Amino acid sequence: TETQTKSRSVNYVGTGIKKFPVPEDMASWGITWPEYKPVYYEAPEVKANPSWADHIDLLELSPKKRLNKIKFNAYDESCKYNRTSYLGEYQIIDGIPRNPMGRTGMIGRGLLGRWGPNQAGDPIVTRWKRNANGQKILDNGKYVFEFIAIIRSDNKLCSLPGGMVDPGQNVYECLKAEFKEEALGGLMDNEEHKKKIKDKLKIMFEEGELIFKGYADDPRNTDNAWLETLVYNYHDNTGEVLHPFQIQAGESVDAVTWLTARANMTLHAAHAYFVKLVADKLNAAF
Ligand code: RP5
Ligand code: MG
Ligand code: MG
């Protein structure tokens, strides 16, 4: 099984906050741990009630007042948001949702907007790496592949061009929208490029495959709010669909590039694991 190293890292990403340290063997809620004193945190940008967040701090209310404030483990019609988990029904303790993957050292939503699951989508667009003559490159008898990666502005880490599901959006719409936003920049504004790109996008998001859906080991996760994602791969096997294919960094990211997939690469959150799943599927070098 995977470890949840990012979810349990002591330094809370981008804030200087130290979480309560949780050793892996103490993470399970099934283990009684009276000394466990998680740190409470809700980021100012979450408290400012933006459209992507729940406009309520459950921990400020008495347990009685919290009950039924938010419709958990169901599709929440009031804000057009899916609050079900890929992991099954999650527990609600005194009106507060509990992270199904165990303790993180922090309560409250931290940097996340939603109590309970925060849904995301991660597209992995891949092709075989080729030399100048267009030949595929072998490594120990397996072909090397590359994928479209971005550099995140918040932690400067290489990452998949994924993002959060917006209210009213389904996860497949999210995948496509995030890919456009982060990896295509302003290219779609150019009428000439638009038609070509649109045809390719249609192929990419209709002919791809589901790679993973479940909990995402993200450094922003807390005991009461966590990321879940659906990972989807489109692999251009012949190299004809994505060649040529222009990419351009969107406003919210620092850069976009084709990156060679390697087992030792450092990627944001659980993304290296997701790329490994694609490598396994393609029986590619990694
Ligand atoms: C990751 O954070 C998910 O896998 C997804 O890529 C991402 C969503 O957050 P934002 O990119 O919107 O910050 O855990
Ligand atoms: Mg994103
Ligand atoms: Mg989004």
Side-chain angles (χ1 to χ4, degrees):
T1 64
E2 299 157 66
T3 52
Q4 299 297 333
T5 49
K6 311 263 170 95
S7 294
R8 291 193 243 288
S9 62
V10 171
N11 295 312
Y12 195 64
V13 58
T15 61
I17 294 175
K18 297 257 183 241
K19 291 153 67 184
F20 191 88
V22 179
E24 204 63 30
D25 60 351
M26 294 302 279
S28 165
W29 295 111
I31 295 169
T32 311
W33 190 13
E35 297 78 25
Y36 179 56
K37 295 279 174 320
V39 173
Y40 163 80
Y41 182 61
E42 299 228 322
E45 57 266 43
V46 173
K47 288 244 178 196
N49 294 339
S51 61
W52 46 268
D54 293 328
H55 297 179
I56 180 170
D57 183 348
L58 292 175
L59 287 170
E60 276 176 352
L61 302 173
S62 68
K64 217 172 160 185
K65 287 212 168 122
R66 282 175 208 150
L67 290 178
N68 306 320
K69 280 275 180 207
I70 296 178
K71 202 176 167 205
F72 291 116
N73 284 304
Y75 184 81
D76 189 341
E77 198 58 58
S78 73
C79 58
K80 305 252 176 286
Y81 198 74
N82 183 6
R83 297 186 193 272
T84 64
S85 166
Y86 293 126
L87 285 77
E89 190 166 324
Y90 46 91
Q91 279 188 289
I92 309 296
I93 312 288
D94 292 333
I96 314 266
R98 178 183 263 187
N99 187 327
M101 295 301 282
R103 299 179 172 104
T104 65
M106 179 178 277
I107 55 170
R109 286 169 294 175
L111 288 156
L112 297 175
R114 303 289 177 185
W115 293 93
N118 286 249
Q119 304 292 350
D122 288 300
I124 310 186
V125 174
T126 58
R127 67 181 183 193
W128 299 116
K129 192 179 171 84
R130 289 168 196 271
N131 65 19
N133 299 324
Q135 287 154 330
K136 295 194 264 183
I137 296 170
L138 274 171
D139 177 21
N140 275 316
K142 290 182 173 185
Y143 290 119
V144 178
F145 72 105
E146 41 188 22
F147 64 101
I148 295 180
I150 55 126
I151 297 179
R152 291 180 66 96
S153 306
D154 60 353
N155 56 14
K156 308 293 171 198
L157 286 174
C158 272
S159 164
L160 298 169
M164 308 283 193
V165 176
D166 294 335
Q169 203 177 38
N170 74 43
V171 68
Y172 287 94
E173 292 164 339
C174 163
L175 283 164
K176 203 167 169 177
E178 293 293 336
F179 183 80
K180 284 200 234 172
E181 262 174 52
E182 300 192 357
L184 298 181
L187 292 172
M188 297 288 275
D189 301 340
N190 178 321
E191 281 305 318
E192 197 191 308
H193 290 143
K194 195 175 171 176
K195 168 104 188 37
K196 279 187 207 154
I197 298 174
K198 267 192 132 174
D199 292 345
K200 293 183 185 211
L201 281 177
K202 196 168 147 53
I203 296 174
M204 284 157 68
F205 289 96
E206 277 175 10
E207 296 180 9
E209 266 183 66
L210 173 73
I211 294 296
F212 172 91
K213 55 180 179 182
Y215 187 81
D217 179 27
D218 188 284
R220 293 167 290 189
N221 292 347
T222 74
D223 288 1
N224 312 127
W226 61 92
L227 265 146
E228 298 196 3
T229 188
L230 187 146
V231 183
Y232 179 89
N233 171 233
Y234 171 69
H235 180 63
D236 182 14
N237 193 43
T238 61
E240 279 161 18
V241 177
L242 300 184
H243 184 78
F245 185 70
Q246 248 186 299
I247 49 178
Q248 188 180 86
E251 275 168 23
S252 62
V253 306
D254 282 7
V256 64
T257 185
W258 283 96
L259 194 71
T260 303
R262 286 291 175 205
N264 64 359
M265 61 194 172
T266 301
L267 298 182
H268 167 71
H271 294 187
Y273 172 68
F274 302 148
V275 176
K276 186 207 179 296
L277 295 179
V278 174
D280 291 345
K281 185 196 79 172
L282 297 175
N283 192 24
F286 192 59

